[in-house]
Amino acid sequence: TVSIVGAGPSLSRSYKDIVGDVIACNSAHDFLIGVGIVPKYALFWDAHPVISKMAQKPHPGVTYLVASRCHPNLFKALAGHRVIVFHALGGEPVEDLLVSTNRMEPLVAGGSSGVTRATHIAGAMGYTDMHIYGADSSYEDGATHVGGSVVDQKQMRLRVCGKWFITDPWMALQVADIKVLAPHLIKMG
């Protein structure tokens, strides 16, 4: 059993329900450490330099799963901690580098967000019972993240089953990814 934890506003309540091993995605890492939950893993995959600000509380009990495309400042922030580097599928520069250096290393697929990538990594690590927390994909009382957003968000309204939600393009894409990826993961066990 693994809990894949995003940093949506609902995490401020749902963290108490987390079960099994924990993979914290991006800023969920610091939030969980702050409430006394040490995740087994923390996943960072975005290339944006702001991601290095999401590991302000590195912990010796956490294994950090970091995409090779992440900013060097993130690697500096995690110096001295256990870091496992993976390659994210979809980054042409990474793929080109692997080809040009004749390195046959796997590329991890899994959608457009840390949460969706974590589902594929968890599956590859043998987890078959996955629970997802904090992948809200919409605003709650004006907030996008449990600890506040570190970047400007681009709000949009989206109607789902007759109800209107305030969301962001990347959040709407995360929902679309989950709709496509979940059946694939179920089929794979």
Side-chain angles (χ1 to χ4, degrees), residues 112-113 116 135-139 153-154 156-160 165-179:
S112 61
S113 73
T116 59
D136 300 6
S137 299
S138 65
Y139 286 64
Q153 303 290 331
K154 296 178 177 25
M156 62 186 258
R157 289 172 38 97
L158 187 66
R159 188 174 175 177
V160 179
F165 293 88
I166 303 297
T167 188
D168 186 277
W170 75 264
M171 292 179 196
L173 185 55
Q174 177 176 257
V175 171
D177 288 346
I178 290 171
K179 285 173 59 177

Side-chain angles (χ1 to χ4, degrees), residues 142-164:
T144 59
H145 292 78
V146 69
S149 180
V150 292
V151 297
D152 290 332
Q153 303 290 331
K154 296 178 177 25
Q155 288 188 18
M156 62 186 258
R157 289 172 38 97
L158 187 66
R159 188 174 175 177
V160 179
C161 298
K163 183 176 178 184
W164 286 97

Side-chain angles (χ1 to χ4, degrees), residues 14 21 27 29 31-32 52 59-60 64 73 78 85 97 108 110 119 125 139-141 147 157 160-162 165 175 189:
S14 65
D21 292 338
S27 62
H29 168 270
F31 174 82
L32 291 175
S52 62
H59 191 282
Y64 293 91
N73 288 344
L78 297 175
V85 178
L97 179 64
V108 177
T119 61
M125 292 179 355
Y139 286 64
E140 182 179 295
D141 298 327
R157 289 172 38 97
V160 179
C161 298
F165 293 88
V175 171

Side-chain angles (χ1 to χ4, degrees), residues 18-33:
I18 290 173
V19 294
D21 292 338
V22 175
I23 301 175
C25 301
N26 294 330
S27 62
H29 168 270
D30 283 359
F31 174 82
L32 291 175
I33 297 286

